């Protein structure tokens, strides 16, 4: 019997028995793919090596995974070197940051989370996987599942916002979408929930900063989306750059070994973030490169990205006895098992088919999906006087630096998008323009600078129009990795444009471009209508036109709270109760800022459609919940408007008295439903003790008997609660 026919386990055992220490360390190395066309803008230090060196390393068995290059034909060449020219013929894994689309670009994950439709994210992740695997990839470093409670942090754009339950739903959906039903299929893309852990909690919202966090917040808020992603089948996890209460996440034994492997039984591979092991030295947590290697590896980090530390130091650490050989073999075994799980040993050329890469037959369907996902991600914050949708024969002025722009529609972490297929706002609006309407387009200003005569031209266009579509917001590079902000506001040049346009008195509809919640000010905040359009991807213009002209009634809801002002950050709806809450009667010496109450301008969960939805009172089926019982909570929701509408019905809970101060509200369920004009629906949620559980004062996880409040509401700030009591456990 040939070796290839052996069951995977014994094949891996047999490889391990034959590998040198250098080859073992090589399998744990992840290096930039300088062989194929590479995304040069990210991580510039990757250019440390050239293609020939990388191929030499593959040939010598010094590297097991390459990342961020694409192309099936050259991928085959790399694989041929690995399989035919390296001593043991172990195939390489080909990875990349494919975050929200490959050639077809879908909305940024934060935007897509606004749809409150995890199944939509599953579909876009699937389409992404189809395109990525066609382009010669096996593995994506996604989804980012960091809960982002501070909007200054630029990487909130990559996740699902500020809420844990929503984050869990999207984390799991994206993993399912990327990986598909069969990991061995040519279009299955390995998923990597990242960044483990608490990366979204960096102090002051500054990327790469330290994290000081309580155990309760870590376990109840930041860890669950990782667990959800693993339960959905993710086989790899990426560590975070930050430290947690002084211990860097990438050398954090308690997390990587204790929680991940111990408590959760994770069988897969832990990969470092980019040079995260090297950074242990900069953190002042490791003495030198060798010490950093020792600490990261023994804490539970299997693979090292780009630093080269594992290749340089692991063999000597094993020889000196500081790293036990079985520990190294276990890590290498996991990496080889990962390769086996996607069928690489049986077909090293899987996902490396140039004919499949050239085949464009699926792209039309993906474009349609991108348009659907984009319009389902748009949030209508306000719509005074029903200015939207735009009626028939209006004279429309499209004003703003994003009007014709094609450089700011994809959003952060889009490395491989096909720009030739991007649809600008102008192009989309022209394509959807009703026959009798007219469209005049004026930039008005640059993204950050005034334009000579820009404001005058914009004002003239606004005066000559019935309505202004004001396309303003954040440049794309303001969000994403390393893009933290102290002021989450519009650039002053754009704010000045907005003020001048509003002063004409022509109604203004803001088309907001943003990678985070923003603090809206002046004429932007006070516009007649505001559509939050995030970064919507390839089909931006068409999707916005669908909403603006009424072809689609907006159905998305905010996955992040829009504050009144930047200085409120971190602001998130599910904050702990203060001892001095503000009341309608009393503001003095209460928890508030001098200028603003402790509320959001637009709360989490908020969003309007073109229908008008009314909620009946929330009712509980019983005043008590038995310890082992279940309780139904219900409310009737009715579309009393004249248009079809989709409503996101949200279930919130509050624990009145507990051993630790509990959040004012927490999302415990949501349901999106379509309602025709006049249609009503009774929405029923079921609660049990599990949903009331939290990390208690003594560190244990569970519910505490006592009083609870429950809402069924259209946002985190709406509605009146019903009450019930969780009874004591039976004696
Ligand atoms: C650094 C980022 O933090 C991470 O998300 C990404 O996957 C790696 N670089 C690889 O590009």
């Amino acid at each position: 019997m040939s070796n290839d026919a052996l069951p995977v386990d014994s094949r891996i055992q047999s490889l391990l028995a034959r590998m040198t220490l250098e080859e073992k360390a090589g399998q744990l190395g992840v290096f930039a793919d300088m062989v194929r066309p590479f995304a040069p803008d990210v991580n510039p230090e990757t250019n440390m090596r050239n293609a020939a060196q990388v191929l030499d390393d593959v040939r010598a068995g010094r590297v097991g995974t390459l990342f961020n290059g694409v192309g099936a034909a050259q991928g085959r060449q790399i694989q041929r070197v690995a399989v035919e020219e390296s001593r043991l013929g172990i195939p390489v894994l080909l990875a990349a940051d494919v975050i929200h689309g490959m050639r077809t670009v879908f909305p940024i994950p934060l935007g897509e989370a606004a749809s409150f439709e995890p199944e939509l994210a599953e579909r876009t992740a699937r389409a992404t996987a189809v395109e990525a695997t066609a382009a010669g990839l096996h593995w994506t470093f996604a989804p980012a599942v960091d809960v982002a409670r501070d909007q200054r942090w630029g990487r909130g754009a990559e996740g699902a916002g500020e809420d844990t339950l929503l984050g869990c739903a999207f984390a799991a959906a994206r993993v399912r979408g990327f990986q598909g039903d069969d990991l061995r299929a040519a279009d299955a893309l390995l998923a990597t929930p990242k960044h483990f852990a608490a990366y979204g909690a960096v102090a002051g919202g500054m990327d790469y900063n330290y994290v000081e966090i309580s155990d309760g917040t870590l376990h109840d808020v930041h860890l669950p989306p990782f667990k959800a992603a693993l339960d959905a089948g993710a086989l790899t996890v990426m560590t975070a750059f930050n430290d947690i209460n002084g211990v860097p996440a990438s050398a954090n034994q308690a997390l990587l070994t204790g929680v991940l492997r111990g408590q959760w039984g994770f069988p897969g591979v832990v990969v470092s973030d980019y040079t995260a092991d090297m950074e242990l030295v900069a953190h002042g947590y490791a003495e030198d490169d060798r010490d950093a290697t020792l600490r990261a590896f023994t804490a539970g980090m299997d693979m090292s990205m780009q630093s080269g530390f594992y290749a340089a130091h692991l063999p000597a650490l094993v020889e000196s006895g500081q790293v036990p050989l079985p520990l190294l073999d276990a890590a290498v075994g996991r990496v080889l098992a990962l390769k086996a799980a996607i069928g690489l040993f049986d077909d090293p050329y899987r996902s490396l088919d140039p004919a499949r890469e050239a085949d464009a037959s699926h792209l039309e369907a993906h474009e349609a999906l991108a348009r659907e996902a984009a319009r389902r991600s748009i949030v209508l914050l306000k719509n005074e006087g029903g200015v939207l949708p735009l009626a028939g024969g209006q004279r429309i002025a499209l004003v703003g630096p994003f009007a014709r722009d094609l450089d700011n529609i994809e959003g952060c972490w889009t490395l491989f998008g096909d720009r030739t297929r991007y649809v600008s706002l102008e192009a989309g609006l022209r394509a959807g323009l009703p026959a009798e309407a007219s469209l005049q387009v004026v930039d008005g200003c640059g993204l950050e600078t005034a334009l000579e005569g820009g404001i005058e031209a914009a004002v003239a266009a606004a005066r000559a129009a019935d309505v202004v579509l004001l396309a303003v917001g954040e440049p794309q590079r303001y969000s994403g990795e390393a893009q933290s902000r102290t002021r989450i506001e519009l650039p002053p040049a754009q704010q000045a444009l907005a003020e001048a346009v509003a002063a004409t008195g022509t109604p203004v509809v803001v088309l907001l471009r943003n990678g985070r919640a923003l603090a809206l000010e002046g004429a932007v905040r006070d516009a007649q209508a505001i559509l939050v359009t995030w970064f919507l991807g390839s089909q931006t213009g068409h999707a916005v036109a669908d909403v603006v002209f009424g072809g689609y009634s907006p159905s998305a809801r905010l996955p992040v709270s829009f504050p009144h002002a930047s200085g409120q950050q971190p602001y998130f709806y599910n904050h702990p109760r203060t001892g001095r809450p503000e009341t309608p009667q009393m503001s003095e010496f209460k928890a508030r800022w001098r200028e603003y109450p402790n509320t959001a301008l637009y709360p989490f969960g908020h969003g309007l459609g073109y229908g008008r939805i009314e909620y009946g009172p929330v009712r509980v089926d019983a005043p008590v919940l038995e310890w082992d019982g279940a309780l139904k909570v219900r409310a009737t929701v009715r579309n009393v408007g004249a248009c079809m509408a989709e409503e996101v019905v949200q279930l919130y809970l509050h624990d009145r008295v507990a051993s630790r101060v509990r959040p004012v509200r927490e999302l415990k369920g949501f349901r999106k439903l379509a309602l025709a004009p006049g249609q009503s629906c009774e929405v029923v949620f079921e609660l049990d003790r599990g949903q009331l559980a939290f990390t208690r004062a003594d560190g244990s996880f569970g519910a505490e008997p006592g009083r609870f409040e429950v809402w069924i509401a259209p946002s985190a700030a709406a509605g009146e609660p019903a009450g019930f009591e969780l009874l004591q456990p039976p004696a």
Side-chain angles (χ1 to χ4, degrees):
M1 192 161 65
S2 85
N3 232 10
D4 278 354
L6 288 174
V8 166
D9 278 352
S10 41
R11 188 158 48 182
I12 290 170
Q13 291 306 336
S14 139
L15 275 173
L16 283 171
R18 285 181 289 146
M19 289 168 86
T20 63
L21 286 178
E22 285 69 25
E23 285 165 335
K24 288 177 182 174
Q27 284 304 309
L28 305 184
V30 182
F31 289 100
D33 181 350
M34 302 308 294
V35 182
R36 302 192 283 176
F38 185 76
D41 299 347
V42 283
N43 302 320
E45 287 157 28
T46 45
N47 296 315
M48 292 187 304
R49 288 154 181 251
N50 62 35
Q53 284 172 314
V54 170
L55 283 177
D56 276 351
D57 285 344
V58 172
R59 197 172 287 114
R62 284 193 294 261
V63 55
T65 299
L66 296 174
F67 77 101
N68 278 358
V70 278
Q74 279 169 295
R76 287 184 86 83
Q77 284 173 19
I78 301 172
Q79 202 63 296
R80 196 185 50 72
V81 172
V83 174
E84 293 178 21
E85 298 180 22
S86 76
R87 194 176 74 87
L88 295 170
I90 301 173
V92 288
L93 271 172
L94 299 168
D97 289 284
V98 186
I99 310 297
H100 54 108
M102 181 77 195
R103 308 293 291 157
T104 310
V105 181
F106 300 103
I108 54 168
L110 179 64
E112 212 175 54
S115 71
F116 275 69
E117 289 177 66
E119 56 285 5
L120 179 68
E122 183 170 341
R123 285 161 62 210
T124 60
R126 186 85 292 273
T128 300
V130 167
E131 293 187 14
T133 53
L137 294 169
H138 307 124
W139 179 10
T140 178
F141 299 141
V145 303
D146 307 306
V147 175
R149 299 173 130 194
D150 190 325
Q151 298 305 310
R152 292 171 294 184
W153 191 53
R155 302 200 76 172
E158 297 174 51
E162 71 189 37
D163 182 71
T164 300
L165 182 88
L166 192 66
C168 288
F170 274 85
R174 291 190 167 121
V175 169
R176 285 195 301 269
F178 285 135
Q179 298 198 157
D181 299 331
D182 175 10
L183 276 181
R184 298 171 71 90
D187 64 4
L189 188 66
L190 287 165
T192 305
K194 66 185 188 185
H195 307 79
F196 195 70
Y199 187 35
V202 283
M206 188 180 76
D207 205 11
Y208 314 129
N209 211 5
Y210 63 90
V211 169
E212 295 268 354
I213 197 168
S214 73
D215 259 11
T217 303
L218 177 65
H219 284 268
D220 296 353
V221 175
H222 293 276
L223 294 186
F226 287 95
K227 181 70 167 58
L230 301 185
D231 289 346
L235 290 174
T236 66
V237 169
M238 184 185 286
T239 65
F241 288 128
N242 52 280
D243 74 88
I244 300 169
N245 302 330
V247 181
S250 296
N252 199 309
Q253 180 116 28
L255 269 182
L256 303 183
T257 300
V259 173
L260 201 53
R261 295 229 185 275
Q263 273 179 40
W264 295 354
F266 176 57
V269 170
V270 178
V271 60
S272 83
D273 200 345
Y274 192 94
T275 62
D277 48 2
M278 183 165 95
E279 292 164 23
L280 297 177
V281 179
H283 269 298
Y285 190 74
E287 196 64 47
D288 52 24
D289 302 0
R290 182 182 161 118
D291 189 33
T293 307
L294 176 66
R295 286 176 187 273
F297 185 75
T298 53
M301 194 178 92
D302 295 325
M303 294 180 99
S304 158
M305 187 188 294
Q306 197 59 20
S307 67
F309 276 20
Y310 279 19
H313 302 292
L314 267 182
L317 283 166
V318 173
E319 271 160 4
S320 71
Q322 283 168 287
V323 168
L325 183 61
L327 209 60
L328 178 65
D329 283 351
V332 178
R334 283 192 285 270
V335 172
L336 296 177
L338 185 69
K339 294 183 176 188
I342 65 164
L344 268 191
F345 287 108
D346 300 319
D347 177 11
Y349 298 100
R350 65 148 276 178
S351 309
L352 293 171
D353 175 0
R356 206 184 130 216
E357 186 175 31
D359 175 16
S361 58
H362 54 287
L363 292 182
E364 221 170 287
H366 289 184
E367 258 164 23
L369 178 59
R371 182 169 179 165
E372 183 190 349
R375 65 177 175 234
R376 290 185 162 278
S377 302
I378 296 173
V379 187
L380 176 61
L381 291 186
K382 66 186 288 201
N383 192 17
E384 266 172 33
V387 57
L388 285 175
L390 299 188
Q394 284 176 303
R395 293 167 301 163
I396 303 166
L398 172 63
V399 174
F402 297 100
R404 316 172 211 255
D405 168 271
L406 280 172
D407 294 329
N408 293 269
I409 65 176
E410 53 188 21
C412 61
W413 275 118
T414 307
L415 305 183
F416 312 107
D418 179 358
R419 288 179 57 94
T420 64
R421 294 190 288 133
Y422 291 178
V423 181
S424 70
L425 280 178
E426 179 184 11
L429 290 166
R430 284 207 191 285
L433 202 63
E436 332 76 75
S438 67
L439 183 72
Q440 193 188 349
V441 182
V442 177
D443 295 331
C445 66
L447 292 172
E448 293 170 300
T449 49
L451 286 179
E452 176 95 35
I455 290 208
E456 291 76 3
V459 165
R463 287 218 173 94
D466 299 313
V467 63
V468 175
L469 298 178
L470 184 65
V472 290
E474 294 186 298
Q476 175 166 302
R477 64 191 154 74
Y478 280 21
S479 51
E481 185 174 349
Q483 306 309 320
S484 307
R485 302 188 65 194
T486 52
R487 289 190 302 273
I488 52 171
E489 295 146 19
L490 253 53
Q494 293 189 46
Q495 189 68 37
L497 174 69
E499 302 300 337
V501 166
T504 64
T506 306
V508 172
V509 174
V510 170
L511 306 177
L512 195 67
R513 196 69 64 92
N514 52 317
R516 53 163 65 75
L518 294 177
L520 306 178
E521 301 179 301
V524 175
R525 178 195 56 215
D526 299 337
Q528 279 67 30
I530 303 174
L531 287 169
V532 175
T533 73
W534 318 104
F535 293 92
L536 291 176
S538 304
Q539 292 285 306
T540 294
H542 288 322
V544 170
D546 289 344
V547 167
V548 163
F549 297 126
Y552 182 74
S553 169
S555 69
R557 302 292 183 259
L558 290 179
V560 279
S561 309
F562 270 54
H564 296 279
S566 297
Q568 283 179 266
Q569 295 302 311
Y571 183 88
F572 45 95
Y573 83 93
N574 47 355
H575 55 82
R577 263 171 92 103
T578 157
R580 289 193 169 191
E582 203 177 10
T583 63
Q585 298 77 34
M586 184 70 178
S587 279
E588 287 302 307
F589 294 94
K590 296 292 186 183
R592 58 167 289 131
W593 287 272
R594 283 200 69 77
E595 304 87 353
Y596 293 106
N598 185 24
T599 59
L601 174 64
Y602 291 106
F604 175 89
H606 171 76
L608 307 173
Y610 296 150
R612 201 155 62 78
I613 306 294
E614 279 181 6
Y615 280 66
V618 55
R619 287 164 287 134
V620 287
D621 277 9
V624 296
L625 169 60
E626 305 274 353
W627 187 250
D628 290 317
L631 179 66
K632 290 204 167 87
V633 186
R634 51 184 90 226
T636 300
V637 180
R638 184 185 305 275
N639 183 356
V640 296
C643 299
M644 176 77 192
E646 285 170 87
E647 179 64 5
V648 179
V649 181
Q650 300 155 44
L651 175 75
Y652 292 98
L653 188 87
H654 173 59
D655 187 342
R656 286 291 292 127
V657 181
S659 63
R660 267 196 333 127
V661 174
R662 303 302 301 135
V664 288
R665 283 196 197 194
E666 283 179 290
L667 186 71
K668 290 293 171 184
F670 58 90
R671 208 157 295 153
K672 191 163 185 174
L673 35 112
L675 292 170
Q679 191 182 351
S680 68
C681 175
E682 187 183 53
V683 181
V684 184
F685 292 97
E686 193 162 281
L687 279 176
D688 62 33
R689 194 177 85 235
Q691 286 147 287
L692 317 186
F694 64 99
T695 299
R696 297 177 285 212
D698 65 2
S700 64
F701 185 78
E704 291 176 356
R707 285 183 296 135
F708 289 81
E709 289 176 329
V710 62
W711 293 255
I712 293 179
S715 83
E720 288 299 322
F724 68 91
E725 187 181 345
L726 174 65
L727 297 183
Q728 298 282 347

